[in-house]
């Protein structure tokens, strides 16, 4: 079984002053991560952006791992990022939770920080899209991000797709009632929504024309 | 403080972070902060810090991790108040 995990943080929705308070950020980043910021990112990133970057990586990893460990509790300071660096396009690194290691890839724009995680360092089979919505109502955003994904996948699947939550509480894509082997993760914050899905070897074999669309 | 008193006060703690007024007005121990109140996970740390300030308590990381529904929030706050 594969999984998916992503997270978006809308920068207009964060409380900068609060994020800079030790009482707040020490619940998100570890002392080692604070040191990493001072050594490597101080000239490149505002501290509050670094904190939310770490948050989004950790939240993504939590969402990814929760599918394997339903009892997993989100505890940001027990998850540790390492090797975080800027490639010129993405911030990439690893994230460890217990004995599980995942790779992370994040984008930082003027408006948002978006992260996703993967088992492999290579993210070429991981697809995502970020959208903007007027409404900040969670229900509206949930509908909007699902529509965004269905619109994208309708290029591959001519049949009408449905996105439902399964009995474990995570979203699955149904094609004529049958679950597709494509794990998907949704996220929303402020006026931004995003989806991420992973194409496994199984889905490539079953749907080789994916390549034409991606 | 009784559990009911804490529950009533928690409505004020959650209010800035939810638009689901119906769920807020019908809080009970089982109300889930994310699934029912639709609070964005990015605000969970805000809620812990607001609760610490409101009750003048310190919520350790292990306790904070448990605060996912109203009942567990009340458990943690009661426990910390009793330790004062």
């Amino acid at each position: 079984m594969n999984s998916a995990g992503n997270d978006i943080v809308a920068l207009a929705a964060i409380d900068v002053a609060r994020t800079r308070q030790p009482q707040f950020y020490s619940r998100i980043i570890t002392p080692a991560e604070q040191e990493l910021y001072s050594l490597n990112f101080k000239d490149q990133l505002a501290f509050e952006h670094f904190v939310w970057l770490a948050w989004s990586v950790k939240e993504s990893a939590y969402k990814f791992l929760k599918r394997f460990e339903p009892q997993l509790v989100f505890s940001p300071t027990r998850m540790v990022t390492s090797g975080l660096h800027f490639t010129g396009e993405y911030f990439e690194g690893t994230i460890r939770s217990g004995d599980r290691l995942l790779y992370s890839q994040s984008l930082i724009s003027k408006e948002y920080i978006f992260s996703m995680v993967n088992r492999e360092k290579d993210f070429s089979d991981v697809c995502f899209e970020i959208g903007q919505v007027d409404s900040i109502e969670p229900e509206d955003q949930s509908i909007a991000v699902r529509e965004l994904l269905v619109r994208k996948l309708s290029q591959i699947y001519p049949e009408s797709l449905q996105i439902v939550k399964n009995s474990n509480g995570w979203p699955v894509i149904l094609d004529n009632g049958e679950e597709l082997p494509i794990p998907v993760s949704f996220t929303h914050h402020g006026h931004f929504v995003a989806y991420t899905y992973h194409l496994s070897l199984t889905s490539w074999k079953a749907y080789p024309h994916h390549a034409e669309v991606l | 403080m009784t559990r009911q008193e804490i529950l009533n006060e928690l409505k004020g703690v959650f209010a800035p972070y939810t638009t689901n007024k119906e769920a807020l007005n019908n809080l009970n121990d089982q109300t889930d902060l994310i699934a029912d109140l639709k609070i964005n996970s990015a605000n969970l740390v805000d809620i812990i810090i607001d609760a610490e300030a409101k009750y003048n308590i310190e919520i350790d990381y292990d306790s904070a991790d448990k605060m996912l529904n109203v009942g567990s929030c009340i458990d943690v706050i009661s426990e910390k108040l009793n330790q004062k």
Side-chain angles (χ1 to χ4, degrees):
Chain A
M1 184 178 84
N2 201 354
S3 186
N6 67 357
D7 186 59
I8 196 160
V9 175
L11 296 178
I14 66 168
D15 183 333
V16 173
R18 178 169 260 193
T19 305
R20 288 175 164 270
Q21 291 170 5
Q23 187 194 10
F24 186 92
Y25 68 70
S26 62
R27 289 183 181 275
I28 296 175
I29 58 174
T30 64
E33 288 166 338
Q34 291 170 40
E35 201 179 315
L36 176 76
Y37 174 77
S38 301
L39 289 173
N40 294 354
F41 294 104
K42 211 172 179 176
D43 300 330
Q44 193 178 359
L45 268 182
F47 181 67
E48 62 273 16
H49 291 176
F50 178 78
V51 172
W52 286 108
L53 169 65
W55 168 276
S56 69
V57 169
K58 293 176 182 197
E59 172 82 10
S60 300
Y62 167 71
K63 287 162 83 173
F64 189 103
L65 295 172
K66 181 88 173 163
R67 300 187 189 193
F68 304 104
E69 301 170 49
Q71 301 308 314
L72 185 68
V73 172
F74 184 41
S75 187
T77 54
R78 287 206 181 92
M79 303 172 106
V80 183
T81 60
S82 65
L84 198 63
H85 63 281
F86 186 55
T87 65
E89 186 176 10
Y90 297 106
F91 285 84
E92 292 186 345
T94 60
I95 170 83
R96 183 176 287 282
S97 172
D99 58 359
R100 293 183 188 267
L101 183 79
L102 297 171
Y103 294 88
S104 68
Q105 193 176 70
S106 307
L107 267 175
I108 299 186
S109 81
K110 283 182 181 166
E111 297 176 299
Y112 57 77
I113 296 172
F114 170 72
S115 296
M116 49 195 190
V117 296
N118 190 22
R119 274 216 193 90
E120 312 293 330
K121 196 175 181 181
D122 178 4
F123 275 72
S124 56
D125 286 350
V126 183
C127 313
F128 71 95
E129 187 175 355
I130 297 165
Q132 210 166 348
V133 289
D134 291 334
S135 171
I136 56 162
E137 289 295 330
E139 302 287 339
D140 297 338
Q141 297 190 335
S142 176
I143 292 168
V145 72
R146 282 160 176 73
E147 283 176 356
L148 207 60
L149 176 64
V150 167
R151 206 176 306 140
K152 172 73 178 179
L153 290 179
S154 67
Q155 299 170 51
I156 307 169
Y157 301 94
E159 302 298 329
S160 68
L161 294 178
Q162 259 189 307
I163 297 162
V164 297
K165 271 193 179 172
N166 70 5
S167 56
N168 297 308
W170 63 72
V172 292
I173 309 168
L174 301 181
D175 180 10
N176 278 327
E178 197 178 326
E179 186 178 331
L180 293 177
I182 300 176
V184 62
S185 180
F186 297 112
T187 177
H188 62 87
H189 190 226
H191 288 285
F192 289 94
V193 298
Y195 66 74
T196 298
Y197 64 89
H198 293 231
L199 292 173
S200 61
L201 193 60
T202 321
S203 55
W204 276 112
K205 280 181 179 164
Y207 305 97
H209 48 304
H210 267 131
E212 297 158 19
V213 180
L214 301 176
Chain B
M1 283 185 88
T2 66
R3 290 184 69 84
Q4 188 60 44
E5 284 169 337
I6 296 173
L7 185 143
N8 288 336
E9 289 190 352
L10 278 175
K11 289 180 185 174
V13 174
F14 299 146
Y17 309 111
T18 178
T19 55
N20 191 343
K21 300 301 172 201
E22 195 187 335
L24 191 63
N25 289 330
N26 294 298
L27 281 194
N28 61 59
D29 274 11
Q30 281 70 47
T31 307
D32 188 281
L33 273 53
I34 292 174
D36 301 320
L37 287 173
K38 309 290 181 195
I39 291 174
N40 195 289
S41 62
N43 290 125
L44 293 179
V45 177
D46 289 302
I47 286 169
I48 291 157
I49 288 175
D50 291 347
E52 285 185 322
K54 182 166 185 63
Y55 294 100
N56 192 24
I57 53 175
E58 274 185 33
I59 299 174
D60 58 276
Y61 293 3
D62 285 344
S63 299
D65 291 345
K66 294 176 196 158
M67 293 172 63
L68 296 172
N69 66 29
V70 171
S72 59
C73 288
I74 297 173
D75 290 343
V76 168
I77 292 166
S78 302
E79 185 195 332
K80 302 300 173 193
L81 284 172
N82 288 334
Q83 288 170 359
K84 280 174 77 175

